[in-house]
Amino acid sequence: MTDGTEHAEELSRHKDGKVNYVFLPIPQSNPAIGSGATLVGLALYNPNQSRQPWVSGIGVMRAGDSRATGIVQQANLMNSRLRLLAALGHANLDLKFYGIGADAGERGTSIPLEQTGTGGFVQALYEVGTHWFLGLRYQNMYLRSKFDLSQALALGAVIPEVDLQRRTVSIGPALEYDSRDDNFYPTRGVSAKANLNFYTEGLGSDVSFRQFSASWNRYWPMAADRVLAARVAGCTVSGNVPFSDLCMYGRNNDLRGYTTGQYRDRAMLAAQMEMRWRLAPRWGGVAFAGMGSIGSSLSDLPDEKILPSIGAGLRWQASKDYKVNVSLDVAVTRDDHAVYLYVGEAF
């Protein structure tokens, strides 16, 4: 079990003003875009001795003909009572479109889909109670999609031509509960999030719809070298939703092993558990399993087909002070498998 002394020592390291740099070229492997490389640069620091560290990051990815660039900034003010998060990115991705609905995803037939997008978000949360944070999230995205609409129709998907070029802008409330003992490698506590995004023409969006997403993560210390982690995540959308903004199975690693976008519809729910081991001072391992479903509404999910996933992975600690890991996962589903390389934990 992790005792209070160890936790206090970790907090003191976060407050010593030391800047930790993580600069890594990582081989890229993702079932949606294939293989390539990602260059990641992170700075982890604490300029005002807040309870949580600040993070500045940049990433550049190239996989086949797909490429992306993004920056992110996380800041904590007023002793972490005010949490700020912002990100901006541009991507040109070669993807696959399988259609809409669980049947289309299970069929596995796809057509080429090229998407080019630029956008970002800003979120501000203020502590309103012990571990509770409430605030607003603003998002702005321009996305251009290119694929054969007649071939999409053959897959059973009726996509309006106007959906091929959209600006979507939203604002909405964000709620978080965070009692974790560490941001990057928690061993105990809960992290829960809920976002309700209102996309409206009054903000400059080309289309109006609503999007709700929520997640719940729980961490239990099982021994000095083991942590059990669990995650439940869901999504639902309503209104005139573009095909690119539907709930997508496999997004945010819910669940690993599925190509993001193969299963897309108006509602999604997934649950998974993961056991994490420390194998050596800077090495670790994980084993995970989960299941979920996707459908036209939340009420339809119990009747939809269960989509399972299992897998295992290795961890290497890139930053000892902030416990930031480089992760390698292999996930297996009923019909496919995938390899993931990334910075941080899956959840």
Side-chain angles (χ1 to χ4, degrees):
M1 300 289 285
T2 303
D3 60 24
T5 301
E6 182 177 340
H7 181 40
E9 291 175 351
E10 181 63 29
L11 286 176
S12 69
R13 285 198 296 271
H14 288 180
K15 294 181 179 182
D16 63 5
K18 181 180 178 181
V19 180
N20 274 218
Y21 295 100
V22 177
F23 187 74
L24 293 170
I26 303 175
Q28 169 71 45
S29 180
N30 186 290
I33 57 177
S35 299
T38 299
L39 184 63
V40 175
L42 293 175
L44 302 102
Y45 51 102
N46 202 331
N48 56 355
Q49 296 189 346
S50 62
R51 286 175 291 166
Q52 304 286 355
W54 293 38
V55 180
S56 300
I58 185 169
V60 179
M61 182 277 296
R62 183 69 184 262
D65 291 328
S66 296
R67 55 193 181 275
T69 304
I71 58 175
V72 63
Q73 177 64 53
Q74 175 182 299
N76 300 283
L77 305 174
M78 303 171 64
N79 195 28
S80 290
R81 291 193 300 273
L82 178 61
R83 295 182 173 184
L84 304 176
L85 180 64
L88 180 67
H90 174 80
N92 189 325
L93 304 177
D94 277 349
L95 304 170
K96 296 177 181 179
F97 180 70
Y98 293 82
I100 297 173
D103 290 341
E106 186 177 7
R107 189 168 54 238
T109 302
S110 65
I111 60 175
L113 167 63
E114 180 183 335
Q115 289 191 316
T116 302
T118 301
F121 72 88
V122 178
Q123 178 175 280
L125 300 175
Y126 186 78
E127 189 172 18
V128 295
T130 305
H131 303 308
W132 287 98
F133 296 83
L134 179 64
L136 288 174
R137 182 183 182 95
Y138 170 83
Q139 298 181 178
N140 192 317
M141 169 68 74
Y142 173 78
L143 183 65
R144 185 176 73 250
S145 303
K146 184 178 180 181
F147 66 118
D148 191 325
L149 293 179
S150 63
Q151 291 184 2
L153 185 61
L155 296 176
V158 180
I159 307 297
E161 187 172 356
V162 69
D163 275 3
L164 298 183
Q165 190 166 306
R166 289 282 198 187
R167 178 170 297 279
T168 55
V169 186
S170 74
I171 193 169
L175 178 67
E176 291 190 9
Y177 178 87
D178 189 359
S179 64
R180 296 171 298 170
D181 60 348
D182 190 86
N183 270 26
F184 303 106
Y185 193 84
T187 62
R188 64 175 72 243
V190 174
S191 173
K193 301 179 181 182
N195 295 89
L196 180 57
N197 299 315
F198 294 94
Y199 293 83
T200 172
E201 296 177 10
L203 293 173
S205 181
D206 293 334
V207 63
S208 296
F209 63 96
R210 292 164 302 283
Q211 181 187 65
F212 176 76
S213 61
S215 63
W216 173 88
N217 300 338
R218 180 72 163 91
Y219 307 92
W220 297 271
M222 306 302 292
D225 61 347
R226 290 192 299 275
V227 176
L228 178 64
R231 175 176 172 86
V232 179
C235 165
T236 182
V237 293
S238 60
N240 185 22
V241 188
F243 78 96
S244 54
D245 290 283
L246 293 169
C247 301
M248 297 186 195
Y249 204 70
R251 180 181 283 176
N252 300 322
N253 292 330
D254 300 316
L255 297 165
R256 281 161 283 183
Y258 290 91
T259 301
T260 301
Q262 179 173 352
Y263 290 88
R264 73 174 78 201
D265 212 328
R266 288 179 171 261
M268 185 277 294
L269 185 65
Q272 58 182 313
M273 298 194 76
E274 180 172 287
M275 182 64 78
R276 300 170 179 174
W277 291 271
R278 293 180 187 174
L279 303 177
R282 300 188 70 169
W283 288 94
V286 303
F288 54 88
M291 63 180 61
S293 61
I294 193 163
S296 57
S297 68
L298 288 175
S299 60
D300 290 339
L301 293 183
D303 299 322
E304 295 291 346
K305 196 167 189 176
I306 297 297
L307 302 171
S309 169
I310 61 171
L314 288 174
R315 301 290 183 266
W316 179 75
Q317 194 175 80
S319 170
K320 296 175 70 175
D321 286 339
Y322 292 97
K323 298 181 180 178
V324 176
N325 286 333
V326 175
S327 300
L328 167 65
D329 290 337
V330 178
V332 179
T333 67
R334 186 178 50 207
D335 302 315
D336 205 352
H337 69 280
V339 179
Y340 299 83
L341 281 159
Y342 54 96
V343 176
E345 301 302 317
F347 59 90

